[in-house]
Amino acid sequence: MKNFKFYNPTKIIFGEGTIKEIAGEIPREARVLLTYGGGSIKRNGVFDAVQSALSGRTVDEFGGIEPNPTYETLMRAVEMIRRGGHDYLLAVGGGSVIDGVKFIAAAVPYEGDPWEIVQSYGAKIKKSLPFGTVLTLPASGSEMNNGAVITNRALNAKLPLAHPSLFPRFSVLDPKVTYSLPPVQIANGVVDAFVHVMEQYMTYPVGAKLQDRFAEGLLLTLVEEGPRALTEPENYDVRANLMWCATLALNGLISAGVPQDWATHMIGHEMTTLCGLDHARTLAIVLPALWEIRSAEKKEKLLQYAERVWEITAGDEQARIDAAIARTREFFKSLQVGTRLCDYNLTEAIIPTIVERLKAHNMTKLGEKRDVTPELAEAILRQCL
Ligand code: NZQ
Ligand code: ZN
């Protein structure tokens, strides 16, 4: 097991009807900016619950944070805050809204060009405004981590950033607010959480037995509950399990002391920006293909995954690995998520541009051993056809 520091200050408030508890988390005298996306919260009752919890407070609204939040949109919120003097942000939505608020929180006090915050992957952040979240889509884990992914439309760039000041002060997780999610987004959330676990698990053994079993527990729960969320959309326990899985999949717990990959995500981000595919769907395409290309380097963990998640123990090593990869593709397809470029009417024509953009964004030494080069990324993308 590698040395590690585990720090996570985010307070989680979990369960049905907990939105009202934000009143006790936000200072009474705060000038609050309530931020949200395209308006789903105004249709599913979440906005009303937030407003009644904060009645009598100073609360303004900023809506329109798009999926894959853009620098251009977020800077409008930064200007609004600099004019309005808001000192507490509330993100109400999914990963895009929460990521957007993380950038806004860091950009408002930033004295230089705010894009430097993203270009430096968060390193140039000095301080951030305090913020809390009300999560409406279990997927990204952003509600309990200090990372964000921001798109610059003008530059065709979708880049990750992280900073210790970007942990939410609190996050409210009410499984019932996810009932209004369309099936596509339910499936996206399960797949994104599943691949987050894999980015921190499917590498090479370092004797981290507990982290492995935590990760395998998350995978088993996602496999068991994911399809049920589509067939039993108002089963509270199913939604509660999925919501908590998505949060724990990317809050630092299972990454402590182990190597991390993230090549699938970096390649997926370029695919989202170029082709407009949902984040999770790019991952469903790239992950199995990456395993096929890297099965030798990942052999031990692929075999452990095959046995502990899919109970595959018969056959030689390659047969067991192939069977585990096949079961993974089948799992994604059981959620109506395609796992090949052709499932989205995409062809090899996109590959050169994705490879060029990986180079342009310094994504040239990816993976747990920093050996996924642009050439290897190209081979992985060809395996996605
Ligand atoms: O725009 P609104 O009205 O919020 O509607 C959203 C959006 O259209 C809708 N939605 C959300 N909650 C809903 C709902 N519709 C009905 N009922 C509800 N309860 O769903 C759509 C997608 O929302 P979005 O926030 O974009 O989805 P998700 O939560 O999957 O977030 C995706 C973003 O997270 C980033 C991705 O890059 C992407 O930009 N990620 C963030 C990470 C992090 N911070 O650690 C890591 C992840 O790997 C990921 O990269
Ligand atoms: Zn993700």
Side-chain angles (χ1 to χ4, degrees), residues 140 192 196 250 262 265 269 279 283:
S140 65
D192 198 15
H196 291 158
L250 197 49
W262 296 105
H265 264 72
H269 288 164
H279 169 64
L283 308 178

Side-chain angles (χ1 to χ4, degrees), residues 36-44 46 64-69 92-99 102 135-143 145-151 158 161 176-182 185 188-189 192 196 250 262 265 269 272 278-280 283:
Y36 58 92
S40 66
I41 67 165
K42 298 203 170 180
R43 297 187 291 273
N44 64 6
V46 169
I65 297 178
E66 58 275 91
N68 302 298
V92 185
S96 290
V97 175
I98 298 171
D99 281 10
K102 289 179 181 178
L135 180 70
T136 65
L137 197 173
S140 65
S142 194
E143 67 278 10
N145 71 36
N146 65 338
V149 184
I150 303 300
T151 294
K158 177 178 171 72
L161 63 94
K176 276 198 95 166
V177 309
T178 69
Y179 287 9
S180 55
L181 278 167
Q185 295 300 345
N188 282 349
D192 198 15
H196 291 158
L250 197 49
W262 296 105
H265 264 72
H269 288 164
T272 289
D278 289 349
H279 169 64
L283 308 178

Side-chain angles (χ1 to χ4, degrees), residues 305-345:
Y305 163 64
E307 181 175 353
R308 292 194 182 166
V309 175
W310 299 110
E311 295 177 356
I312 297 168
T313 53
D316 65 25
E317 289 183 346
Q318 194 57 50
R320 282 180 273 151
I321 287 171
D322 293 346
I325 296 174
R327 288 299 301 272
T328 305
R329 279 205 170 93
E330 283 161 26
F331 169 57
F332 291 155
K333 282 190 271 190
S334 76
L335 298 167
Q336 315 308 317
V337 178
T339 63
R340 300 256 179 217
L341 287 174
C342 57
D343 294 333
Y344 303 89
N345 302 316

